[in-house]
Amino acid sequence: MDSPPPPTQRHKCSACYKQYKKKEHLIEHMKISCHSAHDPKCPLCKKHCKSLESVREHLTGLLPKDNCADIFATNGCKLCLNIFDSPDDLSEHMDLCLMASAIAPGPMSMPIMDNCFLPESLLSSGLSNHNNEVVAIDCEMVGGGSDGSLDLCARVCIINEDENVIFHSFVQPIIPVNDYRYELTGISQEHLASASPLLDVSNKIEEILYNGEPSWKARLDGGKARILVGHDLEHDLNCLRISYPDHLIRDTAKYRPLMRTNLVSHSLKYLTKTYLGYEIQTGIHNPYEDCVAAMRLYKRMRAQLHGSPPLPVPNDCSSIFCKRSHNPFDLRMLMELKKMSSDELLAMSISSYKCWCLDNLHCTDF
């Protein structure tokens, strides 16, 4: 009687656990997936996922991973997705993880206010141990154009890491306003009657952002220029007629771990409810409230620990691959790659995006 054929060897990805019949298929997967220590991952089985939403589906979705879901149901935080040793530890953690709604400073709630440009002493207060100071910005838009659908910046707010307002102003758009969108913005014609022109506001904002650094140096290496946090910042900056270096922008709408599984953006309202635990934009939108939400999301993502040292690349391959290369899986070196284990392939893989944890001084590996 003929013996059964030997089982086909499967090559399993050490990150997402997908399996392939051929080693070259696993290598092609590693090239495309850009797995790294910065991937969102299940706190229990350590499976790497595309986004935190994917992790949430893995733990609490319609078809959760049974073992992970059972433990998470009793000991898991639904906001930060971490696991704790006991329900009591979880309860103690939730007191800190669940944030309260931001309360705007008194002057921010006034129907009409003068431009507020606070001194450098306030801007620099309470700075933490990071390469660059961080500020968050949000704009409220009114409508222009023939049908009022063109977004025009009419109010802007900037806060620092301590959630102190460092700049606030109503803005006079450069074209007539056809729709003040009062139900959402709370802005009327009276608010903009004596507002500062858009160019003046933009110049003041650039002074804050560049922090005395020439723009060419900020674009080159950042220098003293400030990290800018916000939601859908490209839209806000376009409306302000401001161009700012991409490497100094932290956009909660485009940060991959905060996006949908299909890498489409979530709203700031959804992100705040899901990851901070409270509601925003329940009535008239306040730019201070949105600034605080974006800043808190940024700080929560920045505080994640991805400090596990990478596995060493084998000596015979170290001269072939550059860890910071944008394409470490050069298929011209396929034979050398096929000799490496799944863990070694993962060790040399690099992320396709910059993790915000790298904004910490002690975190320099990418």
Side-chain angles (χ1 to χ4, degrees):
M1 181 177 179
D2 295 336
S3 59
T8 303
Q9 181 182 5
R10 308 288 290 185
H11 302 279
K12 184 178 180 180
C13 173
S14 295
C16 66
Y17 306 152
K18 290 182 179 179
Q19 298 187 38
Y20 298 89
K21 291 182 179 179
K22 296 183 177 181
K23 190 64 168 288
E24 50 263 44
H25 293 167
L26 172 61
I27 294 169
E28 180 65 22
H29 161 76
M30 296 301 296
K31 177 181 177 181
I32 296 172
S33 63
C34 300
H35 288 309
S36 80
H38 302 287
D39 288 347
K41 56 182 72 71
C42 173
L44 293 162
C45 70
K46 307 304 180 184
K47 177 183 178 181
H48 291 225
C49 298
K50 285 186 178 181
S51 67
L52 288 168
E53 182 174 82
S54 300
V55 177
R56 199 177 298 276
E57 286 292 319
H58 171 82
L59 294 168
T60 64
L62 296 177
L63 296 172
K65 181 75 173 180
D66 290 342
N67 292 340
C68 299
D70 291 343
I71 298 174
F72 185 81
T74 57
N75 290 11
C77 174
K78 294 181 179 180
L79 297 178
C80 67
L81 304 181
N82 286 322
I83 300 292
F84 295 86
D85 293 336
S86 69
D88 289 341
D89 290 340
L90 172 62
S91 178
E92 183 177 344
H93 161 80
M94 287 300 296
D95 290 340
L96 300 174
C97 196
L98 181 62
M99 295 192 174
S101 301
I103 301 176
M108 291 291 293
S109 62
M110 294 171 58
I112 301 177
M113 65 173 289
D114 296 330
N115 293 334
C116 175
F117 188 28
L118 299 191
E120 189 71 18
S121 59
L122 177 55
L123 180 60
S124 301
S125 64
L127 293 176
S128 54
N129 186 29
H130 297 95
N131 288 314
N132 296 77
E133 299 171 26
V134 182
V135 297
I137 191 172
D138 184 70
C139 299
E140 289 300 324
M141 307 295 179
V142 293
S146 59
D147 57 357
S149 62
L150 180 64
D151 285 342
L152 305 173
C153 178
R155 186 181 181 187
V156 60
C157 177
I158 303 178
I159 66 169
N160 63 8
E161 283 197 66
D162 294 326
E163 302 178 8
N164 293 318
V165 178
I166 58 175
F167 181 81
H168 173 264
S169 178
F170 289 103
V171 184
Q172 182 62 59
I174 57 177
I175 65 173
V177 177
N178 290 337
D179 183 0
Y180 286 91
R181 305 173 184 174
Y182 183 80
E183 294 78 10
L184 291 177
T185 66
I187 296 173
S188 65
Q189 185 175 359
E190 289 73 21
H191 290 95
L192 304 187
S194 58
S196 296
L198 176 63
L199 181 60
D200 291 349
V201 172
S202 298
N203 288 339
K204 287 183 178 180
I205 292 174
E206 287 184 331
E207 289 178 17
I208 295 172
L209 297 182
Y210 285 107
N211 193 23
E213 200 75 87
S215 60
W216 65 267
K217 182 170 178 56
R219 296 183 186 283
L220 182 64
D221 62 5
K224 296 184 297 182
R226 295 183 166 98
I227 290 174
L228 180 62
V229 174
H231 190 81
D232 194 10
L233 279 171
E234 183 178 3
H235 181 240
D236 285 353
L237 293 176
N238 283 342
C239 291
L240 288 167
R241 307 295 177 91
I242 291 176
S243 175
Y244 202 57
D246 288 343
H247 62 91
L248 292 173
I249 287 177
R250 306 291 183 265
D251 193 335
T252 56
K254 295 183 178 180
Y255 187 52
R256 198 183 78 176
L258 292 176
M259 299 176 79
R260 300 176 190 269
T261 301
N262 61 359
L263 301 184
V264 173
S265 299
H266 279 295
S267 68
L268 182 60
K269 182 173 184 175
Y270 172 86
L271 293 176
T272 304
K273 178 63 175 178
T274 304
Y275 295 99
L276 303 179
Y278 68 92
E279 298 275 1
I280 63 170
Q281 301 175 355
T282 55
I284 291 177
H285 293 191
N286 189 315
Y288 174 80
E289 182 183 55
D290 290 358
C291 280
V292 170
M295 179 65 80
R296 289 176 177 179
L297 285 166
Y298 166 75
K299 291 169 72 174
R300 180 151 288 184
M301 294 297 104
R302 186 183 65 186
Q304 293 184 348
L305 300 177
H306 302 143
S308 300
L311 295 172
V313 177
N315 292 332
D316 57 344
C317 293
S318 59
S319 61
I320 299 173
F321 303 111
C322 173
K323 182 169 176 57
R324 294 185 182 274
S325 167
H326 290 291
N327 181 18
F329 299 99
D330 188 338
L331 296 185
R332 290 174 296 180
M333 316 306 287
L334 183 60
M335 295 307 296
E336 288 80 1
L337 290 167
K338 289 175 70 172
K339 296 175 184 177
M340 299 173 67
S341 69
S342 296
D343 287 344
E344 289 169 340
L345 292 173
L346 177 59
M348 60 181 287
S349 181
I350 58 175
S351 177
S352 60
Y353 70 99
K354 180 177 178 180
C355 181
W356 289 349
C357 83
L358 298 175
D359 288 342
N360 295 311
L361 282 176
H362 68 274
C363 213
T364 58
D365 187 34
F366 183 11

